[in-house]
Amino acid sequence: MVRLSTLSLNPTSHKLPNNSQSPLRPYLRILSLPLAPQVRLTRVTKDVTKCSDKTQFWLASLPYRCLEYLNTKLSSEGLYRIPGSLMAVRRWQLRFDHEIDIDLFGETALYDPNEIASLLKKWLSALPGDLVPKGLQAEVCAEVLGHREVPVQGTGHLGAYVPLAVKNMLSRLPPYNYYLLFAITNHLHCVLLHQKENKMTLENLRICVGPCLRLEKWLFDCLVGGGPQCWQGCGTEGEYLR
């Protein structure tokens, strides 16, 4: 674990919000930052060339650890629908904000996956800005409809169709946005594939998680239903590695 006190925070490049500016509670310093600074301060792997998975470099530690853990709980009934304890979620927020990175598999007292699902949803909801700008979503939607392409309806079957315009749009996103959206929607795709056990249909997932991602209904269905088919690589990584 890395303690906050060991980090060298440059106040000119990563301004920590004061009590009046924080979109979260005033005690959250790191988790109140925008996405990119959070990633740079908390990423699990600091060297992109040494990653076994690029999400280790381009994701902040909190969503990375949450998804890593929740990917082993795909059959949990009501995952993302059943809320975790509010006090437990607040405790996890404080710990991630102070300790920076927590290996959840080493937490012997953690027994309720709903705590971590709720923690992830709360973190996503607090992010400033959209992972996919609304204007870009509308532009691609118009292009898809103009070509009479019908986005995948999110059945969870791997044969579903994903329009090329959607793939191209995703590839143009900054890597912070691209890999976060990639990791979350592929995880939700896996949750969908286990819907017989967890009772989480596409509609349930859209209701419970969709508002946190701020995606249009058609795009949420496309990404969660299409899963791995939606992604053809991030085309902007080089710009952010210079």
Side-chain angles (χ1 to χ4, degrees), residues 215-232:
L215 299 176
E216 297 292 340
K217 175 182 178 295
W218 70 269
L219 184 55
F220 182 91
D221 288 2
C222 184
L223 298 185
V224 175
Q229 293 185 91
C230 301
W231 309 91
Q232 59 184 7

Side-chain angles (χ1 to χ4, degrees), residues 200-220:
M200 292 302 291
T201 63
L202 178 71
E203 183 179 8
N204 287 339
L205 288 172
R206 190 191 317 116
I207 292 170
C208 296
V209 188
C212 307
L213 295 175
R214 299 190 281 274
L215 299 176
E216 297 292 340
K217 175 182 178 295
W218 70 269
L219 184 55
F220 182 91

Side-chain angles (χ1 to χ4, degrees), residues 33 44 75 77 84 91 103 135 150 154 172 179 217 221 239:
L33 292 170
V44 173
S75 298
E77 185 170 344
R91 175 172 57 85
D103 182 358
V150 180
R172 298 197 302 268
Y179 283 103
K217 175 182 178 295
D221 288 2
E239 302 172 28

